[in-house]
């Protein structure tokens, strides 16, 4: 950019008041001429500045117009299949799988590699390389080929395990039984109950048992993190499951997308509605005897829109409650299996001491007890460590309440 020219010096003449009149007039005339000259210089500079301002205005207008065009023209998503040399690549457009040989601008040439997801324009010129952040599909789903959770890792909910096996595992493992009897297996299974009671574990254990891919999507994230993309991601979820059959689709916190319709008509609600409609239509067009099973989970059964519970949708409801005394004892045993525990541990009394604990709470309790052993320089965890862990967890819980209340009333 050109720098502004410096201002001319201000003309200055010392005129002696005692000079004879004609000499003073001559000096004043000289001063006047200096002033005229500076004035001319300033006028020229002003005119130049005006012209520069005009040019900058035109440039801003042009950039704004280009920006608008860029914003309004749609780009397509493609994957780079092969980089042939520095200037040419083969891309495959998503959706229609069309393969195209395209040139690449020097700006992007050394940054593109095979496998990258890119945005291309109408003429397939690569506009940007999409980073992992933009890859909502990958981010919104957790895919595990074969989760490492078995039924033996789940304690205190034997009846629920049996029901899930019957409703989800059996149709996958022995679809012919359903055909012979002439009934459709349940389309979707809804697990409901308090947090940390083993709902996700149950879904993973079925996937493990049936050698199925486990694909998890969290309803709350669809609504909070991937605004505007919910229905597309739900479609992608089912597409992904079809590509990887046999598969278990697990939709956690389904209440976030399937809550009872409220009166308010905000755009956020409309978006959530669209996501739910997409889910319902995917389920309605679903082959119940196929190799994909759907499990959803919620802690807020009361909030659910009854439309999702209709036959052919989530038509098998299984409550997963907080563990009872025997359940807590079983879960304590499960979570101490890999620990070096002393003979003095009495799981039965610990189960009495942990009323109201969920499975997840018991898992943290075991870790906390282990920490006490380490702190006391022992490599064996004893009963007292568990008692101290219970005390610590209970104190932490009450301080949490206090601090959150404090924050609330600040
Ligand atoms: N019944 C259980 N038996 C053994 N461990 C359990 C049980 N329930 C929970 N846990 C422990 O708690 C952790 C969290 O459990 P999980 O994610 O299955 O709970 P969830 O019911 O899906 O919770 P949320 O509703 O918060 O998603 C598990 O990894 C496991 O270690």
């Amino acid at each position: 950019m050109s720098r502004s020219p410096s201002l001319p010096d201000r003309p200055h003449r010392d005129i002696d008041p005692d000079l004879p009149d004609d000499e003073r007039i001559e000096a004043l005339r000289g001063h006047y001429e200096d002033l005229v000259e500076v004035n001319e210089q300033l006028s020229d500079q002003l005119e130049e500045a005006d012209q520069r301002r005009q040019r900058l205005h035109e440039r801003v207008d042009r950039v704004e117009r280009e920006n608008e065009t860029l914003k309004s023209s749609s780009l397509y998503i493609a994957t780079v299949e092969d980089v042939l040399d520095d200037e040419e690549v083969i891309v495959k457009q998503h959706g229609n799988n069309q393969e195209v040989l395209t040139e690449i601008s020097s700006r992007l040439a050394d940054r593109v590699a095979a496998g990258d997801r890119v945005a291309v324009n109408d003429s397939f010129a690569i506009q940007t390389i999409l980073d992992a952040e933009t890859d909502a599909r990958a981010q919104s789903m957790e895919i595990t080929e074969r989760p490492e959770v078995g039924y033996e890792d789940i304690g205190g909910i034997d009846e629920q395990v049996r029901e899930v096996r019957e409703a989800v595992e059996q149709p996958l493992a022995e679809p012919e039984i359903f055909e012979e009897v002439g009934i459709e297996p349940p389309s979707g299974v809804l697990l409901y109950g308090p947090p940390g009671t083993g709902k996700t574990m149950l879904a993973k254990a079925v996937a493990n048992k049936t050698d199925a891919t486990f694909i998890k999507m969290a309803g709350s994230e669809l609504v909070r993190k991937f605004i505007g993309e919910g229905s597309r991601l739900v479609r992608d979820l089912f597409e992904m499951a079809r590509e990887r059959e046999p598969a278990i689709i697990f939709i956690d916190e389904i209440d976030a997308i399937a809550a009872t319709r409220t009166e308010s008509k905000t755009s956020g609600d409309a978006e959530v509605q669209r996501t739910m409609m997409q889910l319902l239509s995917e389920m309605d067009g679903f082959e119940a005897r196929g190799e994909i099973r759907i499990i959803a989970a919620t802690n807020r059964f009361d909030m659910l829109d009854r439309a999702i519970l209709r036959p052919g949708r989530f038509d098998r409801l299984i409550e997963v409650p907080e563990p009872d005394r025997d359940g807590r004892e079983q879960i304590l045993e499960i979570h101490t299996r890999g620990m070096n525990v002393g003979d003095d541990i009495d799981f039965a009394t610990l189960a009495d001491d942990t009323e109201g604990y969920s499975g997840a709470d018991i898992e943290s309790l075991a870790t906390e007890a282990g920490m006490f052993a380490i702190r006391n320089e022992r490599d064996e965890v004893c009963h007292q460590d568990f008692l101290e862990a219970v005390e610590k967890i209970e104190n932490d819980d009450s301080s949490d309440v206090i601090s959150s209340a404090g924050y609330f009333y600040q």
Side-chain angles (χ1 to χ4, degrees):
M1 209 206 254
S2 59
R3 283 178 48 209
S4 334
S6 53
L7 290 176
D9 289 336
R10 191 173 170 179
H12 179 79
R13 273 180 204 229
D14 281 325
I15 300 172
D16 185 356
D18 296 324
L19 281 175
D21 279 350
D22 50 351
E23 280 185 44
R24 246 179 60 231
I25 288 172
E26 195 47 42
L28 281 170
R29 191 170 284 133
H31 184 54
Y32 173 70
E33 275 162 12
D34 288 347
L35 285 173
V36 170
E37 193 182 326
V38 167
N39 187 32
E40 269 165 15
Q41 282 176 22
L42 283 173
S43 296
D44 287 347
Q45 282 185 11
L46 192 63
E47 199 177 321
E48 231 174 80
D50 255 333
Q51 284 171 1
R52 237 188 17 250
R53 192 168 57 96
Q54 183 63 24
R55 280 199 303 275
L56 283 174
H57 259 304
E58 281 165 11
R59 212 158 103 198
V60 168
D61 278 348
R62 206 174 51 241
V63 170
E64 267 175 3
R65 272 198 311 276
E66 281 173 8
N67 203 6
E68 273 314 304
T69 333
L70 271 182
K71 272 200 278 183
S72 57
S73 61
S74 312
L75 299 176
Y76 302 96
I77 309 294
T79 299
V80 177
E81 300 253 285
D82 205 358
V83 180
L84 301 183
D85 54 41
D86 279 353
E87 281 159 16
E88 279 185 332
V89 293
I90 296 176
V91 294
K92 189 183 207 172
Q93 194 184 342
H94 290 198
N96 62 7
N97 284 340
Q98 197 174 321
E99 287 184 302
V100 185
L101 178 68
T102 180
E103 283 190 5
I104 180 163
S105 72
S106 53
R107 178 175 65 91
L108 297 171
D110 48 355
R111 291 171 44 208
V112 170
D116 280 351
R117 269 165 42 98
V118 290
V120 295
N121 64 11
D122 283 337
S123 41
F124 291 97
I126 296 179
Q127 303 297 298
T128 32
I129 304 171
L130 301 176
D131 55 19
E133 291 255 304
T134 13
D135 195 347
R137 180 169 164 157
Q139 265 193 47
S140 63
M141 293 176 214
E142 173 194 318
I143 301 173
T144 319
E145 279 317 325
R146 195 180 172 190
E148 282 177 5
V149 179
Y151 296 123
E152 67 286 357
D153 299 320
I154 307 174
I157 46 172
D158 295 348
E159 179 55 25
Q160 287 76 5
V161 171
R162 193 189 59 72
E163 281 195 64
V164 169
R165 294 190 69 170
E166 197 179 280
V168 191
E169 183 188 314
Q170 216 170 3
L172 269 178
E174 302 166 291
E176 65 285 353
I177 295 186
F178 290 82
E179 265 163 52
E180 278 160 23
V181 177
I183 55 163
E184 294 287 327
S187 296
V189 170
L190 179 77
L191 306 175
Y192 67 98
T197 46
K199 298 184 287 299
T200 310
M201 283 186 97
L202 255 172
K204 284 188 172 168
V206 187
N208 168 295
K209 181 74 183 178
T210 52
D211 242 332
T213 309
F214 176 79
I215 310 177
K216 175 181 162 183
M217 183 173 264
S220 59
E221 291 204 344
L222 277 194
V223 173
R224 261 185 264 124
K225 219 163 133 189
F226 303 106
I227 301 151
E229 297 185 90
S231 55
R232 182 177 68 78
L233 289 171
V234 166
R235 207 171 52 233
D236 286 354
L237 173 70
F238 281 78
E239 196 180 296
M240 179 75 81
R242 279 188 285 269
E243 279 166 18
R244 292 170 182 247
E245 284 183 333
I248 303 278
I249 293 180
F250 180 66
I251 306 174
D252 201 9
E253 298 170 274
I254 193 168
D255 45 281
I257 46 172
T260 320
R261 270 160 255 214
T262 54
E263 288 307 306
S264 72
K265 294 271 179 297
T266 62
S267 59
D269 281 353
E271 148 75 6
V272 172
Q273 277 296 310
R274 268 199 303 280
T275 307
M276 173 166 127
M277 296 319 285
Q278 185 65 38
L279 174 63
L280 296 184
S281 86
E282 291 288 348
M283 289 194 76
D284 290 348
F286 211 63
E287 171 56 71
R289 287 180 188 156
E291 292 224 86
I292 301 171
R293 315 299 310 159
I294 313 170
I295 305 180
T298 180
N299 306 324
R300 300 297 315 269
F301 184 68
D302 55 314
M303 275 178 56
L304 289 185
D305 189 324
R306 301 289 128 172
I308 72 154
L309 307 179
R310 291 213 195 107
R313 296 174 179 169
F314 292 100
D315 47 12
R316 177 67 71 96
L317 309 180
I318 302 175
E319 182 177 6
V320 184
E322 237 158 37
D324 60 11
R325 203 202 139 281
D326 287 348
R328 293 196 296 276
E329 190 174 335
Q330 274 182 37
I331 299 173
L332 272 164
E333 278 166 14
I334 289 170
H335 283 289
T336 48
R337 256 191 229 142
M339 285 167 68
N340 186 16
V341 288
D343 292 337
D344 71 327
I345 296 219
D346 179 355
F347 289 122
T349 64
L350 281 176
D352 287 330
D353 293 340
T354 49
E355 195 174 344
Y357 279 47
S358 67
D361 295 334
I362 293 174
E363 184 188 15
S364 339
L365 176 78
T367 310
E368 201 60 63
M371 295 301 291
F372 274 106
I374 293 175
R375 203 167 301 157
N376 292 310
E377 296 175 1
R378 271 181 283 108
D379 55 13
E380 193 179 79
V381 189
C382 63
H383 194 82
Q384 185 59 28
D385 295 323
F386 275 89
L387 295 182
E388 289 186 33
V390 169
E391 200 178 310
K392 177 168 189 292
I393 286 175
E394 269 153 35
N395 286 340
D396 283 355
D397 275 358
S398 55
S399 68
D400 274 351
V401 173
I402 293 162
S403 63
S404 59
Y407 177 72
F408 192 75
Y409 288 110
Q410 255 173 17

